[in-house]
C-alpha cells in the first residue's frame, strides 16, 4: 500500500486545491515558527499614546485598544493558535485512535458501550463541554490543549472504529489470523496502515475545528490568559471599540478564516484523493 | 422493531441519568461557594462567616452529599428542577422561557440553512464539475470555516455600525414590539444560517452524486425516464435521508451551541442561562439546564437512529 | 421647626465645602447644607413640570433579594426605593433632607429628634405614624432579618416615642455615620402591620413611596405605577416606571440611544462620547476606586520594600489612559476624593512612577535584581473593570523585570479567595463605604474591617487605634490630623495599592428632567426616587 502511496505524492502536486491550501498551511506554520524573525516589536508592549490607530509606518497593521502592535500580535497569535490546535489534535488523535482500534477490533459489548459513550460526547456541543472542563481546571495553554484534545477523541475514535470494522473482515486479515498472528500484530501491521488515510483526513479537518474551538473559547475569555495574543481574544478585545477602529477585528478575522479554510480544504483534497479507500 | 426502540429508549434514559450524576458531582467539586455569591461581593462589605453558613443551610448545601444527591434525583424525576439560588424562581419555568427564545433562533436558522443548503447542493450536484459547482462548494466550505463569532462580529460591524441598518444586540418580546423583535432577530439568524449552510449543502451534493452512480438510476435511464424526473423523484428522495440526519443533528447540537451567538447579540436564551448559572455557581440552574439539554439530545439521537432503522433493516440488530 | 440645627459638625462641614463649591456662597439655607423645610433644595425649573409619561429605566442587575432591609446591592434600590420612603434622604448636593421626617435635629452626641409628616399613608391606606418607625427599627435589629444595617440598629439604645408624629432615637455610642445610614438605601420604613411579612417575592410590598408595584415579569421588568395618594403635592409626575435589568453595558447604552430607554444606570467610560454625541444627557462621577490588594503574609509580598517598589513601578496615568480612556483620576497620594476637606495635599505625587526608587527598594528587599524576585501570583476577575487595568499593570511590572503569573479567576472563586485571604496579589475595585475618611476602617481595621483586613488577617495596631479615634470625635481639625496619620501608615505599608478613581456615569434621554448625579462617593446611593422626574415636550 505504501509504495503506491509514495507514487501518489507526485500527482498531489498537480492538484490545485491541495497546492493552494497546502501553501497557506505552510505559511501559517512558518509564521508561527519564525515569529521572532518576522517581527521585532513586542506583541505585549503598551503604547498609551497610540491606541486604536490604523496602519502606519510604525505599526504595520495598526494598534489595538492597549496601543499594542497588531502585526506582531497577529504573528505571535499564529504561534499560539497553532500550538494549541496541533497539540490538542495530536492528543485527540492518539487517544482516539487507540480507543477506536480497541473498540473496532474487540467488538461486542465493549464496542457497543464505548461507541455509545463516544456518540454522546460527539453530539454534545463541544463548546459547552469545553466550558465545563475549563470552569474546573482554569485557563492556561496546557489545560486548553488537554481540554480541546479530549474533545476531539470521539471524532477519531469513531472514524477509526468504522474503518476497522470495514477492514476487519477483509481477506488478508482472515489470512493473517489463520497464519497465527496475534491480535495485536494483526491490528498494528494490517489494519493500521489501512486506516491511516481516514486518520489523515480527520487530522486536517480536526485542526480546523480545533482552531475554531480555541478561538471561540478565547473570544469568550476562556482562552490563554492575557496578554497572550490569541486571535480569538484579539477579536473580543476589538469588539468593544468597533465604532472607533475596525482593524483590530479585521486582521485576526481574516487570519482565522484563511487558516481554518486552508485546513478544511486540505482535508477535503486529501479525502478526494483517497476516495476509493473511503468508500468502505 | 419495538425491541430495538425499547432498547434505545432504555439506553437513552441511562445516559440522561449518567449526565445528571456527572453534573451533580461536577457542580459540587467546582471551587466557589454559591452562598458567597448570593450574599454579594459588595466591595465595602463582606458577609460574615455566620451569614454564609446560614445561607448554606437554607440552600441545603451542608447536608451530606449522598442525601443531596438522592433529593436531587427524586425531585428531578418528579419534574421539579428546584429553584434558582439567584432569584428563587423555579428553574423549570425559566428554562421553558429561555428555551422558547433559543428556539426562536434555532428553528428559523435551521430551516433556512436546510432550504438554502439543499437547493445549493442540488444545483452543485447537477452541474458537477463546473465552475458553478466549485463556487458553491467554496461557499459551503467557507461557511464551515468561519467561527460563528467571527461571522457575527463582522456582520455587526457591517450592518449595525457602518450601515446603521440593524441593532447590534438585544432582545425584546415579539408580543411587545414585533417590528423591533424582527430587527433584533435578523443578524443572529443570518449568522447561524451561514454557519449551518455548509454541512447541509455538502451532504446534499455528496449523496446526490453517490446516488447518481447507483444501479437504479441506470435502470431508470434505460427505461427512458427524463433526466428531471430521475433527479427529483428518485435521486433527491434517496439522498435526502442522510441530509435530514445532518439537519436533525444540527438542531440537536444547536441547543446549547448557540453560546457564541447569544453572547455576541445578548440573546437571553438557554446558553446564557447556563453560563450565568455556572458563573454564579447556581447549582439548580446548572443541573436543570444540563439535564434538559441532555434529554433533548437523547431524544433527537433516538429519532435519528429510528429513522436509520426504518430505512436500513440491518441496523436494527446492532 | 424653623431653627437652624447643627448636625454633627464633621458631617456638616464636609457637606458645607461641597455645597459652597456647587452652589457658591448663596443663600444661608444652602450653605448650611442642611434643611429643615419640606422638599428638596434649589432645583430651579425652567418651566412647570408636565405630568404623565412612562419612564423606562435600564438597570444593571436583576433583583434577587426582595427584602427592603436585607437587599444589599445597588440595583435593588430602584424598585424598593420608589415604593418605600426613608426618614431622611440625600439632596442634590449630598446633604441630608427630611423625607418622612418633616424635620430632625441632633440634640446631643447620642440623641436625634424627629418630627414626622402628617397625613402620610401607606399604599394600603393605613396612616403612617411613629409606631411604624419603631416596627422598622425592631425588624432591622432582629438578626433573623439579616438586615444590612444591623450594626447601626444594634447601636440604638431606645426609641422614645413622644406622640404619633414625634420621637427621639437615643444611641448607645456616638455614631458619626448615623444620619448617613438612615439616608442610605436600606433603612426603608415599613408598616407596623407588615412587621412579620417576608419578602421571598415582591408581592408583599406596602410602602409610602411615590409608586406601587403593578406587576413583575421575572428577569424582564418591574412595572411600577403612580401612587396618586403620595404625600408630595402633584408628584410623582410620571404615570409609570418600567425597570428592566439589562446586564450587558453595550445593550443598555444602545437601548438609550435607540429611544427604548429613558434613563440608564452605569455607562462605561468607553461610551461617554457616543452618549453625548447622540444628544443624551450624561451624569459622570468619579467615586469608585480601582486598587490592588496585597497579601502581606504571602511570599514575596511579605516584604514591605517590595510592596512599595510595586507602587513605584506602576505608572498610574498610563493605566488611566489605557484602561479608562483618561477619564479616571490617578491616586498617587491621598486616599480621599480631591474635593473632600480631608484630602491630604501633602501626599500629592508620592507614588508618581519612580523606577530608580523602585530599583533601590528591590535591593532593600534583599534581591539583587527584579529577576530574582519569585514569581508573584496575580489573580484578576473576569470583569473588564479589573481585566483592563490589570493587564496594563502586569505589563508595567513585567517590563521592569518582575515575573507575574496572571490568572483570570471567575468571580465566584475570587469572592471565596478574597474572604479567605487565599491570594497573593489581586486586582479589584469598589466604592467607599460612605463618603468620609472613616471608609478606610472597613478596609484596614483588624476586627471592624469587612472587606480586606479580615480576609488576609492584616493587623496594624497603630492604624486600628487611629481609625477608632477618628470616629470618637466630632472636631474636624482633630479628625483631619488623625486621618492624615492613618493615611501615612497605609501609604507606607502598602497593604493595598490604590491606582485611581474610576469614571462612570448614568445617562438620560434628552427630554428627561429632574435627574441629577449625587456627588462623588455617593454613587451607590443614586437617585432612587423618581417622583421628581418628568418629560419635557
Amino acid at each position: 500500500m505504501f509504495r503506491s502511496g509514495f507514487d501518489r505524492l507526485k500527482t498531489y502536486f498537480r492538484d490545485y486545491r491541495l497546492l493552494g491550501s497546502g501553501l497557506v498551511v505552510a505559511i501559517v506554520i512558518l509564521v508561527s515558527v519564525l515569529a521572532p524573525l518576522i517581527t521585532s516589536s513586542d506583541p505585549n508592549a503598551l503604547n498609551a499614546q497610540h491606541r486604536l490607530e490604523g496602519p502606519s509606518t510604525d505599526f504595520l497593521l495598526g494598534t489595538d485598544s492597549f496601543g499594542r502592535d497588531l502585526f506582531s500580535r497577529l504573528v505571535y497569535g499564529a504561534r499560539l493558535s497553532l500550538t494549541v490546535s496541533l497539540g490538542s489534535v495530536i492528543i485527540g488523535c492518539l487517544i482516539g485512535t487507540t480507543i477506536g482500534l480497541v473498540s473496532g477490533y474487540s467488538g461486542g459489548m465493549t464496542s457497543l458501550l464505548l461507541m455509545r459513550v463516544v456518540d454522546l460526547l460527539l453530539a454534545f456541543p463541544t463548546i459547552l463541554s469545553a466550558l465545563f472542563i475549563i470552569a474546573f481546571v482554569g485557563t492556561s495553554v496546557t489545560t486548553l490543549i488537554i481540554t480541546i484534545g479530549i474533545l476531539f477523541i470521539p471524532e477519531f475514535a469513531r472514524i477509526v472504529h468504522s474503518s476497522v470494522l470495514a477492514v476487519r473482515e477483509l481477506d488478508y486479515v482472515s489470512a493473517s489470523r489463520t497464519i497465527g498472528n496475534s491480535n495485536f500484530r494483526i491490528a498494528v501491521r494490517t489494519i493500521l496502515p489501512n486506516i491511516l488515510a481516514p486518520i489523515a483526513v480527520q487530522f486536517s479537518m480536526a485542526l480546523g475545528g480545533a482552531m475554531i474551538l480555541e478561538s471561540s473559547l478565547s473570544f469568550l475569555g476562556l482562552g490563554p490568559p492575557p496578554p497572550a495574543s490569541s486571535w480569538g481574544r484579539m477579536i473580543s478585545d476589538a469588539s468593544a471599540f468597533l465604532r472607533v477602529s475596525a482593524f483590530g477585528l479585521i486582521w485576526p478575522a481574516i487570519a482565522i478564516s484563511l487558516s481554518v479554510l486552508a485546513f478544511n480544504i486540505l482535508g477535503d483534497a486529501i479525502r478526494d484523493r483517497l476516495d476509493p479507500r473511503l468508500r468502505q | 422493531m419495538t425491541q430495538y426502540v425499547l432498547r434505545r429508549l432504555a439506553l437513552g434514559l441511562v445516559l440522561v441519568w449518567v449526565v445528571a450524576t456527572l453534573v451533580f458531582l461536577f457542580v459540587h467539586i467546582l471551587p466557589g461557594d454559591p452562598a458567597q455569591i448570593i450574599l454579594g461581593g459588595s466591595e465595602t462589605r463582606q458577609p460574615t462567616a455566620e451569614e454564609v453558613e446560614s445561607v448554606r443551610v437554607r440552600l441545603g448545601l451542608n447536608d451530606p452529599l449522598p442525601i443531596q444527591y438522592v433529593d436531587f434525583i427524586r425531585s428531578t424525576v418528579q419534574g421539579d428542577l428546584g429553584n434558582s439560588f439567584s432569584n428563587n424562581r423555579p428553574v423549570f419555568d425559566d428554562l421553558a422561557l429561555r428555551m422558547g427564545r433559543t428556539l426562536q433562533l434555532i428553528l428559523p436558522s435551521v430551516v433556512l440553512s436546510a432550504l438554502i443548503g439543499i437547493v445549493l447542493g442540488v444545483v452543485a450536484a447537477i452541474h458537477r464539475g463546473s465552475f458553478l459547482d466549485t463556487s458553491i462548494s467554496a461557499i459551503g466550505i467557507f461557511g464551515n470555516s468561519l467561527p460563528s463569532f467571527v461571522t457575527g462580529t463582522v456582520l455587526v460591524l457591517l450592518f449595525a455600525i457602518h450601515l446603521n441598518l440593524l441593532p447590534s444586540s438585544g432582545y425584546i418580546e415579539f408580543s411587545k414590539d414585533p417590528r423591533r423583535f424582527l430587527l433584533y432577530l435578523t443578524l443572529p439568524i443570518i449568522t447561524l444560517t451561514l454557519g449551518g449552510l455548509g454541512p447541509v449543502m455538502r451532504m446534499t451534493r455528496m449523496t446526490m452524486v453517490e446516488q447518481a452512480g447507483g444501479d437504479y438510476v441506470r435502470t431508470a435511464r434505460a427505461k427512458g425516464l427524463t433526466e428531471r424526473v430521475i433527479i427529483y423523484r428518485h435521486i433527491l428522495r434517496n439522498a435526502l435521508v442522510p441530509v435530514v440526519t445532518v439537519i436533525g443533528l444540527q438542531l440537536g447540537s444547536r441547543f446549547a451551541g448557540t453560546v457564541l451567538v447569544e453572547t455576541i447579540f445578548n440573546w437571553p436564551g438557554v446558553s446564557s442561562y447556563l453560563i450565568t448559572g455556572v458563573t454564579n455557581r447556581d447549582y439548580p440552574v446548572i443541573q436543570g439546564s444540563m439535564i434538559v439539554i441532555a434529554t433533548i439530545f437523547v431524544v433527537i439521537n433516538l429519532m435519528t437512529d429510528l429513522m436509520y432503522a426504518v430505512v436500513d433493516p440491518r441496523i436494527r440488530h446492532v | 421647626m424653623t431653627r437652624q440645627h447643627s448636625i454633627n459638625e464633621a458631617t456638616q462641614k464636609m457637606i458645607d465645602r461641597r455645597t459652597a463649591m456647587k452652589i457658591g456662597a448663596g443663600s444661608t439655607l444652602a450653605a448650611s447644607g442642611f434643611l429643615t423645610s419640606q422638599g428638596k433644595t434649589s432645583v430651579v425649573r425652567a418651566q412647570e413640570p408636565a405630568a404623565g409619561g412612562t419612564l423606562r429605566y435600564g438597570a444593571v442587575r436583576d433583583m434577587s433579594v426582595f427584602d427592603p432591609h436585607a437587599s444589599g446591592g445597588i440595583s435593588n434600590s430602584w424598585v424598593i426605593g420608589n415604593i418605600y420612603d426613608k426618614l431622611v434622604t440625600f439632596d442634590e448636593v449630598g446633604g441630608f433632607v427630611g423625607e418622612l421626617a418633616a424635620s430632625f435635629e441632633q440634640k446631643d452626641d447620642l440623641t436625634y429628634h424627629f418630627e414626622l409628616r402628617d397625613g402620610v399613608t401607606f399604599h394600603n391606606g393605613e396612616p403612617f405614624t411613629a409606631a411604624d418607625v419603631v416596627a422598622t427599627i425592631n425588624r432591622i435589629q432582629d438578626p433573623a432579618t439579616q438586615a444590612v444595617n444591623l450594626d447601626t440598629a444594634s447601636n440604638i439604645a431606645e426609641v422614645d416615642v413622644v406622640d404619633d408624629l414625634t420621637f427621639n432615637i437615643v444611641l448607645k455610642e456616638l455614631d458619626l455615620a448615623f444620619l448617613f445610614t438612615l439616608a442610605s438605601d436600606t433603612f426603608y420604613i415599613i408598616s407596623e402591620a407588615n412587621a412579620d411579612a417576608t419578602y421571598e417575592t415582591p408581592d408583599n410590598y406596602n410602602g409610602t413611596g411615590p409608586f406601587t408595584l403593578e406587576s413583575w415579569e421575572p428577569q424582564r421588568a418591574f412595572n411600577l405605577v403612580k401612587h396618586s395618594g403620595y404625600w408630595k403635592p402633584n408628584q410623582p409626575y410620571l404615570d409609570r416606571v418600567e425597570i428592566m435589568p439589562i446586564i450587558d453595558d453595550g445593550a443598555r447604552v444602545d437601548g438609550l440611544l435607540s429611544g427604548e430607554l429613558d434613563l440608564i444606570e452605569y455607562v462605561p467610560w468607553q461610551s461617554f462620547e457616543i452618549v453625548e454625541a447622540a444628544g443624551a444627557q450624561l451624569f459622570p462621577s468619579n467615586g469608585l476606586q480601582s486598587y490592588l490588594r496585597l497579601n502581606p503574609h504571602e511570599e514575596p509580598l511579605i516584604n514591605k520594600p517590595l510592596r512599595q517598589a510595586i507602587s513605584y513601578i506602576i505608572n498610574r496615568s498610563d493605566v488611566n489612559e489605557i484602561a479608562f480612556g483618561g477619564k479616571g483620576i490617578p491616586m498617587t497620594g491621598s486616599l480621599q476624593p480631591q474635593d473632600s476637606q480631608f484630602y491630604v495635599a501633602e501626599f500629592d505625587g508620592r507614588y508618581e512612577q519612580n523606577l530608580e526608587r523602585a530599583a533601590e527598594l528591590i535591593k532593600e528587599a534583599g534581591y539583587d535584581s527584579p529577576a530574582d524576585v519569585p514569581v508573584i501570583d496575580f489573580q484578576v476577575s473576569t470583569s473588564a473593570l479589573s481585566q483592563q487595568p490589570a493587564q496594563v499593570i502586569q505589563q508595567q511590572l513585567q517590563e521592569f523585570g518582575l515575573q507575574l503569573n496572571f490568572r483570570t479567576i471567575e468571580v465566584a472563586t475570587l469572592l471565596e479567595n478574597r474572604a479567605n485571604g487565599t491570594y497573593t496579589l489581586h486586582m479589584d475595585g469598589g466604592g467607599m463605604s460612605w463618603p468620609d475618611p472613616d471608609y478606610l476602617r472597613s478596609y484596614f481595621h483588624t476586627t471592624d474591617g469587612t472587606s480586606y483586613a479580615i480576609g488576609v488577617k492584616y493587623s496594624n495596631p497603630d492604624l486600628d487605634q487611629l481609625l477608632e479615634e477618628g470616629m470618637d470625635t466630632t472636631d474636624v481639625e482633630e479628625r483631619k490630623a488623625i486621618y492624615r496619620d492613618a493615611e501615612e501608615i497605609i501609604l507606607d505599608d502598602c497593604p493595598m495599592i490604590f491606582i485611581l478613581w474610576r469614571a462612570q456615569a448614568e445617562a438620560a434621554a434628552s427630554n428627561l428632567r429632574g435627574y441629577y448625579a449625587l456627588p462623588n462617593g455617593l454613587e451607590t446611593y443614586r437617585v432612587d426616587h423618581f417622583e421628581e422626574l418628568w418629560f419635557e415636550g
Side-chain angles (χ1 to χ4, degrees), chain B residues 224-244:
Chain B
L225 291 176
T226 62
E227 202 60 24
R228 177 103 88 68
V229 170
I230 296 177
I231 292 177
Y232 290 109
R233 201 166 320 150
H234 296 287
I235 299 183
L236 188 57
R237 247 204 349 215
N238 288 322
L240 274 184
V241 171
V243 173
V244 172

Side-chain angles (χ1 to χ4, degrees), chain B residues 30-34 36-47 50-51 54-55 58 84-89 94 97-98 101 167-173 176-177 180 184 263 266 268 273 275-276 278-281, chain C residues 62-66 73 146-148 200 216-221 223 242 244 247-248 250-251 254-255 258 260 291 293 382 410-413 415-416 418-420 428-434 442-443 450-452 454-455:
Chain B
L30 260 186
D33 187 347
Q36 281 263 351
I37 303 193
I38 291 178
L39 288 173
S42 156
E43 274 316 311
T44 50
R45 194 186 157 273
Q46 261 169 242
E50 294 85 40
E51 286 171 342
S54 69
V55 173
R58 175 160 65 88
S84 156
F85 286 169
S86 324
N87 59 19
N88 224 21
R89 291 189 17 93
D94 276 345
L97 204 66
R98 299 270 187 157
R101 297 189 194 138
S168 60
S169 64
Y171 176 82
I172 196 169
E173 271 93 6
K176 277 216 169 130
D177 187 346
R180 277 210 80 81
Y184 281 129
T263 304
N266 284 305
Y273 190 56
I275 293 183
T276 315
V278 174
T279 311
N280 290 338
R281 303 294 191 266
Chain C
D62 195 7
M63 278 179 84
S64 50
V65 180
F66 301 106
Q146 294 188 341
V148 172
E200 254 101 58
W216 172 49
E217 298 160 56
Q219 292 174 354
R220 290 295 302 150
N223 302 311
E242 287 170 12
M244 292 161 281
I247 303 176
D248 181 69
D254 279 347
S258 67
E260 258 173 59
Y291 47 69
R293 293 180 211 253
T382 48
E410 274 193 287
V411 175
T413 322
L415 288 182
E416 207 173 55
R418 191 180 77 184
N420 299 331
D428 215 341
M432 304 183 279
S433 52
W434 66 301
S442 75
Y443 286 136
T450 52
S451 177
Y452 161 73
I454 288 205

Side-chain angles (χ1 to χ4, degrees), chain C residues 30-48:
Chain C
S32 75
F34 164 69
L35 301 169
T36 56
S37 58
Q38 299 186 26
K40 296 201 159 65
T41 29
S42 52
V43 177
V44 180
R45 299 203 183 94
Q47 60 184 79
E48 270 307 298

Side-chain angles (χ1 to χ4, degrees), chain A residues 116 120 123-125 127-128 132 135-136 212 215-216 219-220 235 239 242 246 249 253 256-257 260-261 264 268, chain B residues 11 15 26 29-30 141-142 144-147 149-150 153 157 161 202 253 256 259-260 263-264 274 290 297 301:
Chain A
R116 282 285 159 247
L120 188 72
F124 214 71
I127 254 205
L128 260 203
F132 277 126
F136 211 9
I212 292 185
S215 59
S216 304
F219 176 78
L220 289 174
I235 293 188
S239 301
L242 285 180
L249 164 68
I256 295 180
S257 316
V260 177
L261 200 63
N264 280 347
D268 256 5
Chain B
L11 209 60
L15 278 169
F26 166 77
I29 306 180
L30 260 186
I141 296 193
F142 209 75
N144 227 14
S145 311
L146 287 179
F149 72 91
V150 173
T153 323
L157 179 67
I161 296 186
R202 282 147 63 76
S253 73
V259 167
L260 289 165
T263 304
I264 298 178
L274 182 55
M290 291 303 297
F297 278 136
N301 259 317

